Amino acid sequence: MKKNKQNRLGAHAIVEALRRNGVKKVFIYPGGTIAPILDVIEKETNIEIVCPRNEQGAGYAALAYARMTGRPAVFMVTSGPGATNAVTPIADAYFDNVPVILLTGQVGTHELRGAIPVKQRGFQECDTTDIMRPVTKASFLVTDVRELPAVMERAFFISRTGRQGPVVVDLPMNVQRAPLPARMQSVPRERYRRPPLPRKKITALARLIARAERPIILAGGGVIAAGATREMRALARRFAIPVVMSLPGMGAIPSDDPLSLGLCGYVGSRYANLALHRADLVVALGTTLHVRQTGSLAKEMTPGGKVARIDLDQGELAHSRVPLYLSIHAEVKEALAALNTMLSRRSPARGLRAPWLAAVREWKRAYPVVVEPQRGVALKPQLAIEWADQALKGKKVIVAAGVGQHQMWVPRHFTFDYPRRQQLTSSGHGTMGFDIPAAIGAKIASPRSTVLCIVGDGSLQMNIQELATIAERKLDIKILVLDNHSLNIVAQFQRQNWKSDPGTGGKYNPDFARIARAYGIPAVTVPTVRGARQKIVKALKRKGPVLIHCTVDPQEDLLPMLLGGHKLDDMTSESSF
C-alpha cells in the first residue's frame, strides 16, 4: 500500500529509514508506544517482525543477528519497563562492539517530565536516553517530527562506523503520529573517515617483528569484526608467530593450527599463558587487554617484552591497562595489510625463532588441555562438548554459549575456525541468558548453518521461555544443557576464597527435557556417562530442534585457573572441593 504524501506520518519516516538502510527484519517486544511503527511495517513493507517472549530475548536475538550479518540490527521495545528491560542486551552490544539500533517508544512530549521535580508525568514514562547514555554510542530523544529522517540516518551511521556499537532513538507517541511536512529536506549521507594509516609506526612494528626472538600475537575480537583473519593468519604463518586469542577472538586462527595456542588469560591454557608471559614481543590486535586476558597484574603480563598494540579506539590506546611500547591507531585490517607488505621484503628469520617454537611445542606437550580421568558414572561436562565438536566436524557451525563454567570450557574443547566454525557469547558484560536468544538470532541470520547452543542450568533458566520462539518458528537449533545443579563458576570462586558456596551450590532443577517437550521440542535425557556419547551424537544428527539434558559432575572445577594476584605463569590446578 502506497501512502499519499499528504498523509505521511512520523512512523513512515522511521520505517523509510529502515528500508533505506537495508533492514530486512526487526526484533521486537510489542507495546502501545511502538504500535504506530509496527502498523506501518506490517501494512506497507516486507520487513519481517520477529517477536520473542521478552525484551531480553528480542535484544539478544538482534545482537546475534547483527554479529552474523555485519550490519546494524533493529531492536524495538515500548516505553517504561520495555526500555529498562532492554538495558542489559544494549549494554552487552556496547561492551562487545555490536551494531544495534534500539527504537524505544515514549509517552507524548506533553507528558515528559523534563526538568520538573517529580518522578513521572506519563504512564510508563522513564528517562530512557539518560538511562541508556552510559552504554550506547549515542542516545537521541526526538521531539520534532521534522528531525526524524536526519536522526535516524545519523543513528545508523554512528552504529556501523568506527568501533561499532548500539544507538538508541527514543520516540514519543505524538512524534510517531505527527504529519510529516509536505516538503522535507533531503537526508544528508555522512561519510566515514578512517583514521590515517601511521606508516612510520607500522614500519617500526615491522622492524620489531623482524628482530624478535620470542614474538606472539594476541588476537582479539577486533580481528574478526574487522574481517582481518586472512591478514593476521598470513603474518603468523610467514613469520612463524604463535597466536593466543581472547574469548571474542576465538577462531581468528583455527584452533587446530600448529601456531594456535588457543584461549589466554584467567581460564586459558597453561601453554598460552606461558608463551604470553615469556614473549619478547606481543603484537596485540583489536583487543582491550582486559583483566580476563592479562590477569590482575596487568603490568606483569609480559615483564621481559615489548607490547605493540593496534586498535581503532584511541581511548583504549591512551588508557591501556598494559604499558605499551608502541601504539598504533588504525583499523586492524588496513594496518595488517600494510604491515604484511612491508614485511614481504624481509626474511622470515625462522632460524632466529627456532628455540622459541621448540619451547612452545614443549609447553603444549607438557600441559595439554585434556579431560581428567572419569570418576564414577557422573558425566564430565568437557566430554560432552568434545563429543559435540567431533559429531559436527566438517559442518558450518555457530556455537552460542551462555555464561558460566561451560562458557570457558567451550573454547578449550570445541574447535573454532572463523567463519566456518564461530562462537557467539557475552564476553565483556558476561550476561547469563544470552544463549538461547542468541542462537535464535544466529539461526535466523544463517539458516543453513548448524546452530549449537551450549548452556548451563543457571544460564538456561534466565531465558528458558525462548524455547517457545524456537518451537513457533520451527528453528533447527540443537541445545546442549550441562546441568551441575549449581552456579558453579561463582561457587568455585566462593569455595576458593571462603570455603563455602552460599546461594550457588546444590540448586534444585526441574527436568529440562520434560519442559522442552511441553514446548513441543524433542528432548533427550543423559543422566550418566553410560551411553552418553551415543545419545548426544544421535540427537545432534536428527533434523529439527532438540534439547539434550546432560546431568554432569557437580564437583568438576574449571581448572587450571589464574587467580587474582598471580602472574600468567602461575596458574592453579588445586580443587576447590
PDB file of all heavy atoms in Angstrom, residues 1 51 109 114 123 132 153 163 196 212 282 342 368 476:
ATOM      1  N   MET A   1       0.857  -1.195   0.000  1.00  0.00           N
ATOM      2  CA  MET A   1       0.000   0.000   0.000  1.00  0.00           C
ATOM      3  C   MET A   1       0.892   1.243   0.000  1.00  0.00           C
ATOM      4  O   MET A   1       1.734   1.406   0.866  1.00  0.00           O
ATOM      5  CB  MET A   1      -0.883  -0.008   1.260  1.00  0.00           C
ATOM      6  CG  MET A   1      -1.876   1.144   1.317  1.00  0.00           C
ATOM      7  SD  MET A   1      -2.665   1.234   2.951  1.00  0.00           S
ATOM      8  CE  MET A   1      -3.467  -0.346   3.018  1.00  0.00           C
ATOM      9  N   CYS A  51       9.246 -11.658  16.966  1.00  0.00           N
ATOM     10  CA  CYS A  51       8.783 -11.305  18.308  1.00  0.00           C
ATOM     11  C   CYS A  51       9.051 -12.442  19.295  1.00  0.00           C
ATOM     12  O   CYS A  51       8.213 -13.330  19.463  1.00  0.00           O
ATOM     13  CB  CYS A  51       7.292 -10.975  18.278  1.00  0.00           C
ATOM     14  SG  CYS A  51       6.653 -10.437  19.881  1.00  0.00           S
ATOM     15  N   THR A 109       5.266  14.098  24.018  1.00  0.00           N
ATOM     16  CA  THR A 109       6.164  15.150  24.518  1.00  0.00           C
ATOM     17  C   THR A 109       5.500  16.000  25.598  1.00  0.00           C
ATOM     18  O   THR A 109       6.181  16.483  26.508  1.00  0.00           O
ATOM     19  CB  THR A 109       6.624  16.050  23.356  1.00  0.00           C
ATOM     20  OG1 THR A 109       5.476  16.556  22.663  1.00  0.00           O
ATOM     21  CG2 THR A 109       7.491  15.286  22.379  1.00  0.00           C
ATOM     22  N   GLY A 114      10.671  16.071  31.931  1.00  0.00           N
ATOM     23  CA  GLY A 114      11.649  17.136  31.715  1.00  0.00           C
ATOM     24  C   GLY A 114      12.382  17.495  32.988  1.00  0.00           C
ATOM     25  O   GLY A 114      12.826  16.629  33.743  1.00  0.00           O
ATOM     26  N   PHE A 123       2.154   7.739  31.988  1.00  0.00           N
ATOM     27  CA  PHE A 123       2.176   6.321  32.332  1.00  0.00           C
ATOM     28  C   PHE A 123       3.301   5.617  31.575  1.00  0.00           C
ATOM     29  O   PHE A 123       3.444   5.767  30.375  1.00  0.00           O
ATOM     30  CB  PHE A 123       0.828   5.678  31.974  1.00  0.00           C
ATOM     31  CG  PHE A 123       0.812   4.192  32.139  1.00  0.00           C
ATOM     32  CD1 PHE A 123       0.958   3.619  33.393  1.00  0.00           C
ATOM     33  CD2 PHE A 123       0.684   3.357  31.040  1.00  0.00           C
ATOM     34  CE1 PHE A 123       0.965   2.239  33.549  1.00  0.00           C
ATOM     35  CE2 PHE A 123       0.680   1.974  31.178  1.00  0.00           C
ATOM     36  CZ  PHE A 123       0.819   1.422  32.446  1.00  0.00           C
ATOM     37  N   MET A 132      20.177   5.083  29.170  1.00  0.00           N
ATOM     38  CA  MET A 132      20.952   4.359  28.155  1.00  0.00           C
ATOM     39  C   MET A 132      22.294   5.007  27.814  1.00  0.00           C
ATOM     40  O   MET A 132      23.178   4.335  27.279  1.00  0.00           O
ATOM     41  CB  MET A 132      20.122   4.260  26.860  1.00  0.00           C
ATOM     42  CG  MET A 132      18.892   3.394  26.968  1.00  0.00           C
ATOM     43  SD  MET A 132      19.347   1.642  27.005  1.00  0.00           S
ATOM     44  CE  MET A 132      17.708   0.885  26.915  1.00  0.00           C
ATOM     45  N   GLU A 153      19.024   8.555  10.247  1.00  0.00           N
ATOM     46  CA  GLU A 153      20.197   8.318   9.396  1.00  0.00           C
ATOM     47  C   GLU A 153      21.474   8.405  10.216  1.00  0.00           C
ATOM     48  O   GLU A 153      22.402   7.602  10.042  1.00  0.00           O
ATOM     49  CB  GLU A 153      20.224   9.334   8.258  1.00  0.00           C
ATOM     50  CG  GLU A 153      20.998   8.871   7.039  1.00  0.00           C
ATOM     51  CD  GLU A 153      20.448   7.580   6.459  1.00  0.00           C
ATOM     52  OE1 GLU A 153      19.219   7.440   6.327  1.00  0.00           O
ATOM     53  OE2 GLU A 153      21.271   6.699   6.153  1.00  0.00           O
ATOM     54  N   ARG A 163      34.442   2.022  15.877  1.00  0.00           N
ATOM     55  CA  ARG A 163      34.201   0.900  16.782  1.00  0.00           C
ATOM     56  C   ARG A 163      32.688   0.775  16.924  1.00  0.00           C
ATOM     57  O   ARG A 163      32.041   1.615  17.540  1.00  0.00           O
ATOM     58  CB  ARG A 163      34.865   1.157  18.131  1.00  0.00           C
ATOM     59  CG  ARG A 163      34.865  -0.054  19.040  1.00  0.00           C
ATOM     60  CD  ARG A 163      35.679   0.212  20.291  1.00  0.00           C
ATOM     61  NE  ARG A 163      35.736  -0.965  21.137  1.00  0.00           N
ATOM     62  CZ  ARG A 163      36.392  -1.023  22.293  1.00  0.00           C
ATOM     63  NH1 ARG A 163      37.047   0.045  22.723  1.00  0.00           N
ATOM     64  NH2 ARG A 163      36.397  -2.112  23.012  1.00  0.00           N
ATOM     65  N   PRO A 196      43.931   8.049   9.592  1.00  0.00           N
ATOM     66  CA  PRO A 196      45.032   7.905   8.624  1.00  0.00           C
ATOM     67  C   PRO A 196      46.012   6.832   9.084  1.00  0.00           C
ATOM     68  O   PRO A 196      46.274   6.677  10.281  1.00  0.00           O
ATOM     69  CB  PRO A 196      45.681   9.297   8.616  1.00  0.00           C
ATOM     70  CG  PRO A 196      45.243   9.943   9.894  1.00  0.00           C
ATOM     71  CD  PRO A 196      43.911   9.378  10.232  1.00  0.00           C
ATOM     72  N   ALA A 212      62.480  -9.811  16.564  1.00  0.00           N
ATOM     73  CA  ALA A 212      62.025 -10.513  17.764  1.00  0.00           C
ATOM     74  C   ALA A 212      62.426 -11.981  17.728  1.00  0.00           C
ATOM     75  O   ALA A 212      62.311 -12.657  16.706  1.00  0.00           O
ATOM     76  CB  ALA A 212      60.513 -10.384  17.903  1.00  0.00           C
ATOM     77  N   VAL A 282      54.860  -8.773  22.093  1.00  0.00           N
ATOM     78  CA  VAL A 282      53.440  -9.097  21.964  1.00  0.00           C
ATOM     79  C   VAL A 282      52.833  -8.128  20.956  1.00  0.00           C
ATOM     80  O   VAL A 282      52.930  -6.908  21.131  1.00  0.00           O
ATOM     81  CB  VAL A 282      52.696  -8.981  23.314  1.00  0.00           C
ATOM     82  CG1 VAL A 282      51.201  -9.255  23.115  1.00  0.00           C
ATOM     83  CG2 VAL A 282      53.283  -9.929  24.344  1.00  0.00           C
ATOM     84  N   MET A 342      55.095  -4.482   4.006  1.00  0.00           N
ATOM     85  CA  MET A 342      56.442  -4.072   4.429  1.00  0.00           C
ATOM     86  C   MET A 342      57.306  -5.284   4.763  1.00  0.00           C
ATOM     87  O   MET A 342      58.496  -5.337   4.416  1.00  0.00           O
ATOM     88  CB  MET A 342      56.337  -3.162   5.649  1.00  0.00           C
ATOM     89  CG  MET A 342      55.739  -1.801   5.353  1.00  0.00           C
ATOM     90  SD  MET A 342      55.602  -0.816   6.866  1.00  0.00           S
ATOM     91  CE  MET A 342      54.706   0.624   6.256  1.00  0.00           C
ATOM     92  N   PRO A 368      48.937 -30.325  28.246  1.00  0.00           N
ATOM     93  CA  PRO A 368      47.844 -30.418  27.272  1.00  0.00           C
ATOM     94  C   PRO A 368      46.492 -30.099  27.904  1.00  0.00           C
ATOM     95  O   PRO A 368      46.302 -30.273  29.117  1.00  0.00           O
ATOM     96  CB  PRO A 368      47.904 -31.883  26.830  1.00  0.00           C
ATOM     97  CG  PRO A 368      48.478 -32.604  28.024  1.00  0.00           C
ATOM     98  CD  PRO A 368      49.474 -31.648  28.621  1.00  0.00           C
ATOM     99  N   ASP A 476      15.780 -25.030  13.590  1.00  0.00           N
ATOM    100  CA  ASP A 476      16.615 -26.212  13.809  1.00  0.00           C
ATOM    101  C   ASP A 476      17.825 -25.819  14.654  1.00  0.00           C
ATOM    102  O   ASP A 476      18.912 -25.537  14.136  1.00  0.00           O
ATOM    103  CB  ASP A 476      17.050 -26.793  12.464  1.00  0.00           C
ATOM    104  CG  ASP A 476      17.818 -28.101  12.622  1.00  0.00           C
ATOM    105  OD1 ASP A 476      18.062 -28.518  13.764  1.00  0.00           O
ATOM    106  OD2 ASP A 476      18.194 -28.699  11.592  1.00  0.00           O
TER     107      ASP A 476
END
